Amino acid sequence: MFDLTGRKALVTGASGGIGEAIARILHAQGATVGLHGTRQEKLETLANELGERTMIFPANLSDRDAVKALGEKAEKDLEGVDILVNNAGITKDGLFVRMSDADWDSVLEVNLTSVFRLTRELTHPMMRRRYGRIINITSVVGVTGNPGQANYCASKAGMIGFSKSLAQEIATRNVTVNCVAPGFIESAMTDKLNDKQKDAILSAIPSRRMGTGAEVASAVAYLASSEAAYVTGQTIHVNGGMAMI
Amino acid sequence: MSDIADRVKKIVVEHLGVEADKVTEGASFIDDLGADSLDTVELVMAFEEEFSVEIPDDAADTILTVGDAIKYIEKQQA
């Protein structure tokens, strides 16, 4: 089940916790994995650990030309990207009334605009090959909202609408577009929260624990597989029951 | 037949998987050759690539038949 032998995947934000877990599971299922990130050293370490069937693609997603170049290079070096996982994301939290234009713009640019641009580069070749899997990592808060994250929530909700539109346009080409929405997952992003914040969140999660990157990655592996061919435009929530949607 | 016409017809045959003799200059991509709206966008992109021309959206909207495509590209390259 979910064998990805011979498939080529590009994972953005692979130097982060969830991205690394996604890269690991796709690799374990047999895919060749392109690792994108901003920290070259971390990417090299991960690539060395995984061994064969890995390539690294450092790029700054807030630079529009770099995003285009990333798509072109990945398509060329991997000899066709079958699986695109748009996982990279940033937060610039702050209460809305004090949110600066810069914090709004940078979060939307990296989390949403770069997804549009990178996906545009890679979708056409997928359509030509009549096969593709586009998986966008959104967030539970893109659906529920979260105080202090108007910019982040807008970007993640945008990703879901984007995915549904694209899914409808290209379904006949056997290219599926889906989202995975993690809840509260152990990562550098959640490490920034203090204990009081963590306790408050855990009390609202039926599972009473944080999720792991591997649990998110497993949903990605399913959507990336040929078994998931009839699933498109969907969002799989991996959140311990904190929101049942 | 011009070289451009041959190359346009070849792209249409390859992309839409239709018989070469059906790809006449009067053939409509959608009505006669079974293309859907996504196919027409892909064909325009393939023409752009093959002939190194840019076909803006308003021009693309006027390219409905094989002959339209040939005429447009001939005009651009003249």
Side-chain angles (χ1 to χ4, degrees), chain A residues 124 127-128 169-170 173, chain B residues 36 38-39 42 45 49:
Chain A
H124 192 235
M127 284 165 56
R128 266 203 299 251
E169 288 188 27
I170 62 180
R173 268 52 176 180
Chain B
D36 63 19
L38 213 50
D39 286 316
E42 284 191 273
M45 290 168 80
E49 208 171 304

Side-chain angles (χ1 to χ4, degrees), chain A residues 86-234:
Chain A
N86 287 305
N87 163 74
I90 60 169
T91 55
K92 293 275 173 75
D93 297 353
L95 288 177
F96 173 72
V97 289
R98 292 186 54 80
M99 188 170 285
S100 68
D101 284 5
D103 285 353
W104 173 271
D105 287 345
S106 66
V107 167
L108 268 289
E109 182 70 32
V110 172
N111 294 8
L112 188 58
T113 306
S114 80
V115 170
F116 158 65
R117 296 177 71 88
L118 183 61
T119 305
R120 188 176 55 184
E121 286 301 315
L122 295 173
T123 296
H124 192 235
M126 286 180 185
M127 284 165 56
R128 266 203 299 251
R129 289 191 296 269
R130 296 291 191 269
Y131 187 88
R133 295 284 182 267
I134 297 166
I135 300 153
N136 295 322
I137 308 303
T138 171
S139 168
V140 63
V141 301
V143 179
T144 63
N146 196 27
Q149 292 196 304
N151 50 0
Y152 183 76
C153 295
S155 72
K156 293 302 183 181
M159 218 178 205
I160 294 174
F162 165 80
S163 302
K164 289 178 181 178
S165 295
L166 182 57
Q168 291 181 38
E169 288 188 27
I170 62 180
T172 55
R173 268 52 176 180
N174 295 323
V175 181
T176 66
V177 190
N178 291 288
C179 292
V180 173
F184 195 45
I185 306 298
E186 297 162 356
S187 74
M189 224 183 257
T190 53
D191 286 347
K192 282 191 213 161
L193 301 167
N194 63 38
D195 284 347
K196 207 176 150 197
Q197 286 172 311
K198 280 187 195 170
D199 286 345
I201 294 167
L202 288 180
S203 71
I205 301 174
S207 304
R208 292 284 185 272
R209 67 172 179 86
M210 287 190 249
T212 64
E215 287 168 327
V216 176
S218 301
V220 174
Y222 165 63
L223 292 172
S225 71
S226 49
E227 282 86 348
Y230 201 53
V231 177
T232 195
Q234 307 300 316

